[in-house]
Amino acid sequence: MTESRYRDIADVLEREIADLPPGTRLDSEHALMKRFGVGRSAARSAVQELERRLRVRRIQGSGTFVSERIDYVISRDRRPSWHRTVREAGGVPRTVVLDHRVAPLEPDCASLLEVPVGTPAHRLVRSSYIDDMIAAFSFEWITHDAIPDLSVGMRVEESLDEVLRQMGHVHSVRSWCRTASDIPPADVQARLELTTAVPVWVVESVNRDIDSGVALTYSKSWMRGDSVRVVMEIGEPAARFSVTPNETKEVVPQ
Amino acid sequence: MTESRYRDIADVLEREIADLPPGTRLDSEHALMKRFGVGRSAARSAVQELERRLRVRRIQGSGTFVSERIDYVISRDRRPSWHRTVREAGGVPRTVVLDHRVAPLEPDCASLLEVPVGTPAHRLVRSSYIDDMIAAFSFEWITHDAIPDLSVGMRVEESLDEVLRQMGHVHSVRSWCRTASDIPPADVQARLELTTAVPVWVVESVNRDIDSGVALTYSKSWMRGDSVRVVMEIGEPAARFSVTPNETKEVVPQ
DNA sequence: GAGCATTTGTCCGTATGTATT
DNA sequence: CAATACATACGGACAAATGCT
């Protein structure tokens, strides 16, 4: 492969920031120029390389910051809760309601929630953060029957899963889920504060009450790849196999 | 957001190549400079933007080519066959065996295949292509019981699923699967002919015989994001919902 | 194999624009 | 308003990989 100074610099920086807490600011491009004795382009390429590796995110006018990337494991038996998942990974979750209204369900949502088209349901639009860094953007539909006064609950508790438990007296579990990765549409890209077109996670999910089996919520979320690593599992649990497919012990032959 | 000429150029080119067959070569950077009346950096940035959008892949010394991106849908009821999936998407699949040996199973694989540690099994290392463009790289372990003379079958048929059907007389189905997206280790990155560190799919799968329930194969594959869009589904099928989570009808409020 | 043109990859210096603090 | 930091862009140069003669 082609030699490159910027890759060396990126490797050095990657090792350095490995132990730094998320949100820590890196040296500016100008500082890197002086430190490594290179021009602007090499210094800039190095930091962009780290951005491609999902190690940092850059904000114009502000700086380059160590990113926080948590595992978001989706399987039949895990609670469908953003807040819970983030906290278990050691991050501080936060969710902001951008819009909340009660509206009749469109055909797509209605069929997934197994109610007649036009049935009124809560419609939430929210942004989610990890350690105050934007991580996800989502639409959520919650059947009106599950919890008529959703807004009351959402004022004291950010986790939808928790609100449904405490005020709706239902325990939601994932009954269906579809995950992919894609270039988001421009509006979603803007919501995720992405300045360039990169793949993000698309997670759709239908949750039901564990006891009655009644469909409660349908959600469609976009998640930044540098915030979460979505891991999706189907079938019987992986016996004694490690959960992280990160480490590769196998060596490529020849 | 920041204005940029290169984004405009990228948009123009993206529309132009939308209808071109995969593998078609784009204009060189030099040609784009003259055509759009910009310098090299702007022309180059435009093509790199298309690369980030997974629309093209670039090969040093050769050129920039329209990429082929197929849907790879993983669910309980779909056949675990690369060749079948690619062909259904209109692409031409090809697989090359890099290494084939019979070796005793390590603990991890043995437990997933539910046989004693050290049981001999076939170990395949293969590269897979779509329209002669590298798309995937995988390790596969096949229990020796399922098909003792695997190499004979692999000489006439590239699809492992087909070989097992025709020579092993077993019909494999996915019993467990885990999918994620990650920056690959350097050796895998090289195998995928990636010159920069970008996220790729990691798909692990255990397949069993549909009749006896006996575990047949365990595989770990890496797939380029600009070759396949992995879609994974758990739970009951999505009713009348479209399979592609691409189109976003919802409008972001305010 | 050697040589050559083409194409992308890396890097420099410099300048200006834009967003944040 | 000023300073800082990232974003875009120009022109030039050389390196490395590819493909063809």
Side-chain angles (χ1 to χ4, degrees), chain A residues 72-82 85 105 108-114 122 124 126 137-143 160-161 164 172-180 201-209 214-223 230-233, chain B residues 231-239 241-242 245 250:
Chain A
Y72 192 83
V73 182
I74 295 175
S75 64
R76 208 66 183 263
D77 51 323
R78 277 168 208 269
R79 289 247 304 261
S81 167
W82 169 266
T85 304
L105 284 171
D108 287 348
C109 300
S111 90
L112 280 165
L113 291 172
E114 294 174 347
H122 301 279
L124 280 180
R126 303 196 294 172
F137 172 70
S138 55
F139 295 96
E140 290 150 309
W141 287 264
I142 303 101
T143 58
L160 182 55
D161 181 61
L164 289 174
S172 57
V173 291
R174 262 185 235 280
S175 71
W176 171 79
C177 184
R178 184 168 56 205
T179 301
W201 294 103
V202 186
V203 178
E204 290 175 277
S205 186
V206 171
N207 300 318
R208 295 170 185 273
D209 178 41
V214 172
L216 302 171
T217 65
Y218 163 67
S219 63
K220 182 168 186 170
S221 301
W222 285 268
M223 304 183 189
V230 173
V231 179
M232 197 170 176
E233 202 169 313
Chain B
V231 179
M232 195 170 176
E233 202 168 312
I234 62 175
E236 287 310 297
F241 216 64
S242 110
E250 295 78 28

Side-chain angles (χ1 to χ4, degrees), chain A residues 2-7 38-39 41-42 60-62:
Chain A
T2 310
E3 279 303 310
S4 56
R5 184 92 178 83
Y6 82 83
R7 243 178 265 266
V38 295
S41 60
Q60 185 177 358
S62 182

Side-chain angles (χ1 to χ4, degrees), chain B residues 2-7 38-42 60-61:
Chain B
T2 309
E3 277 305 310
S4 56
R5 184 93 178 83
Y6 81 83
R7 243 178 266 264
V38 294
R40 170 123 190 252
S41 61
Q60 185 177 359

Side-chain angles (χ1 to χ4, degrees), chain A residues 22-23 57 65-68 128-135 227:
Chain A
R57 56 173 75 178
F65 305 89
V66 177
S67 66
E68 164 132 52
S128 298
Y129 300 79
I130 302 175
D131 291 341
D132 288 324
M133 289 189 286
I134 181 78
S227 288

Side-chain angles (χ1 to χ4, degrees), chain B residues 5 14 44 47 94 105-106 112 124 129 131 138 142 148 150 157 169 177 182 195 200 218 220 224 243:
Chain B
R5 184 93 178 83
E14 186 171 29
R44 183 170 172 75
V47 188
R94 187 163 64 87
L105 284 171
E106 299 285 315
L112 281 164
L124 280 180
Y129 299 79
D131 291 340
S138 54
I142 304 101
L150 178 65
E157 167 69 64
H169 306 295
C177 183
D182 238 314
T195 53
V200 301
Y218 162 67
K220 181 168 186 170
R224 283 179 65 131
V243 177

